[in-house]
Amino acid sequence: ASKGLEKGALLRLSEVIRDEMPQGRACHVVSLSGPNHAEEVGREIPSASVVAYSDKDVAEAVQDLFMTPAFRVYTNPDQTGVEMGGALKNIIALAAGISDGLGFGDNTKAALMTRGIVEIARLGVAMGARPMTFGGLSGTGDLIATCTSKHSRNAWAGAQIGAGKPLKEVLGSTKMVVEGVFTTSAARELALARGVQMPITSIVYEILFEGLDPMK
């Protein structure tokens, strides 16, 4: 139930868990992802999510554990796609926040989100994911929730950066982890290694780590 990529090894989190568990590859690691802000799930505001695993019986067992009248859970065999969507959307949320911080409007954010899901899918497919996964809850759904919500740490951090605050100051002003900052670096490295074009990710990287003026 976590989203991101391991720094250095660039592994998805299910892969990290399998590597660390004593049972190794015999361990069933199912991924939960979707447009779910904990602040709303905890208040039983109607929400939907997806559990991903190649073994349908195992995925459905986890689905049954999490399903409630207010929390709808779907299954998907494409674990790579579900995990990549959940991780990479944080980069686009940073970009959307930067846009807000610069004073741009809904048109700009819609353009960033739409082109953002294209490059998320591009890298995901290069890693073996199914293209259709990125149109679902863990792709487009999670992207919408993260780019537009007041609960989003990544959009908030991006807005601070767009308004002119340095990254170090922004990260130091919150006790919460802004996952997109770390994921941007990992995704850029993956994209370069696999020859995948990710222009928004590349620009966000330059803003965060190379001092590029967000307005430029």
Side-chain angles (χ1 to χ4, degrees), residues 66-187:
F66 278 91
M67 187 86 81
T68 75
F71 194 65
R72 175 89 176 176
V73 182
Y74 296 82
T75 63
N76 189 331
D78 182 14
Q79 191 166 28
T80 299
V82 166
E83 287 189 276
M84 291 302 292
L88 299 178
K89 53 86 186 180
N90 286 323
I91 304 170
I92 309 305
L94 280 170
I98 290 169
S99 174
D100 287 341
L102 291 168
F104 297 151
D106 293 337
N107 291 0
T108 318
K109 187 181 294 186
L112 282 167
M113 291 168 64
T114 306
R115 295 308 305 170
I117 198 67
V118 170
E119 62 184 69
I120 287 172
R122 201 179 281 153
L123 181 58
V125 169
M127 295 182 66
R130 300 178 182 182
M132 288 295 291
T133 298
F134 300 99
L137 289 168
S138 61
T140 301
D142 204 356
L143 185 69
I144 292 169
T146 309
C147 290
T148 63
S149 174
K150 62 184 179 182
H151 301 305
S152 173
R153 290 164 286 183
N154 294 280
W156 167 83
Q160 301 297 305
I161 293 166
K165 292 184 180 180
L167 176 62
K168 188 175 181 179
E169 180 182 335
V170 173
L171 296 182
S173 66
T174 178
K175 293 182 179 179
M176 297 185 292
V177 178
V178 183
E179 303 101 318
V181 172
F182 307 105
T183 306
T184 298
S185 181

Side-chain angles (χ1 to χ4, degrees), residues 43-58:
R43 290 163 53 204
E44 297 189 343
I45 289 176
S47 305
S49 196
V50 58
V51 290
Y53 193 58
S54 56
D55 187 315
K56 184 179 179 183
D57 291 339
V58 176

